[in-house]
Amino acid sequence: MTTTETTHRHAPRMQFAKAAPEVYKAMVALDAAARKDVDPKLAELVKTRASQLNHCAFCIDMHTKDARAAGESEDRLYLLNAWEEAVDLYTEKEQAALALTEAVTVLTDGFVPDEVYERAAKHFEERELAQLIALILTINAWNRIGVTTRLAPGAYKPSGH
């Protein structure tokens, strides 16, 4: 085990909501605004995929549970990590959203490629695309909070959609 792994596993957990309540409340409000008018199943696919890329176990646990509660299938959740090889399971619109999610989350070479943006713009009206981008930005912020504060997966129960 490396020093990083040891440090990560034993680092103290922070209760972010208690330590920074105003920031937490602002994040909750941002999350609600970003989800507005986005299909719940698509939103959970996007949140789960970003969380996979960011290695946020708490958020992966949360959003796969929320996806199931929204009616998502097990096959699509299991294969989300390899969605480009399982394109028959995802609509073209979902594929465009997932490609944009990956590009925004990883920011390869510091930008979102034009073809990825244009692909998403082809499937989403401008307002929908803005909401999708906001959703991606928000889950990335939540992932960074979760990973940094060492949120542990497992206890989350979906409240329903």
Side-chain angles (χ1 to χ4, degrees):
M1 192 174 335
T2 67
T3 306
T4 304
E5 289 174 291
T6 304
T7 303
H8 179 76
R9 289 187 184 168
H10 300 292
R13 292 195 171 100
M14 174 193 290
Q15 293 184 351
F16 188 81
K18 288 182 182 177
E22 289 181 23
V23 175
Y24 181 80
K25 287 177 191 172
M27 282 296 301
V28 169
L30 177 62
D31 189 69
R35 277 193 323 249
K36 189 173 174 32
D37 299 328
V38 177
D39 174 77
K41 285 172 70 173
L42 178 62
E44 296 308 331
L45 286 176
V46 164
K47 290 178 177 186
T48 301
R49 186 64 190 125
S51 299
Q52 289 171 337
L53 292 166
N54 288 319
H55 304 276
C56 185
F58 178 85
C59 293
I60 294 168
D61 178 61
M62 171 187 277
H63 296 297
T64 55
K65 288 175 180 175
D66 284 346
R68 287 182 187 99
E72 189 54 78
S73 76
E74 293 298 313
D75 286 345
R76 285 167 38 103
L77 288 174
Y78 294 144
L79 293 171
L80 188 56
N81 249 345
W83 67 268
E84 288 178 295
E85 287 76 35
V87 291
D88 292 344
L89 291 179
Y90 306 96
T91 67
E92 286 187 27
K93 186 174 184 174
E94 290 167 336
Q95 291 174 46
L98 292 169
L100 185 63
T101 299
E102 291 182 0
V104 171
T105 300
V106 178
L107 284 179
T108 305
D109 297 325
F111 65 94
V112 173
D114 289 343
E115 61 272 9
V116 172
Y117 183 86
E118 289 164 7
R119 179 180 181 188
K122 185 173 93 173
H123 292 281
F124 293 89
E125 294 176 16
E126 187 173 51
R127 185 183 187 308
E128 288 179 302
L129 185 55
Q131 288 300 125
L132 178 60
I133 291 167
L135 184 75
I136 295 166
L137 298 173
T138 304
I139 189 56
N140 274 280
W142 279 124
N143 290 162
R144 281 149 179 79
I145 291 168
V147 169
T148 304
T149 62
R150 312 301 196 254
L151 286 176
Y156 176 79
K157 303 280 187 253
S159 60
H161 283 265

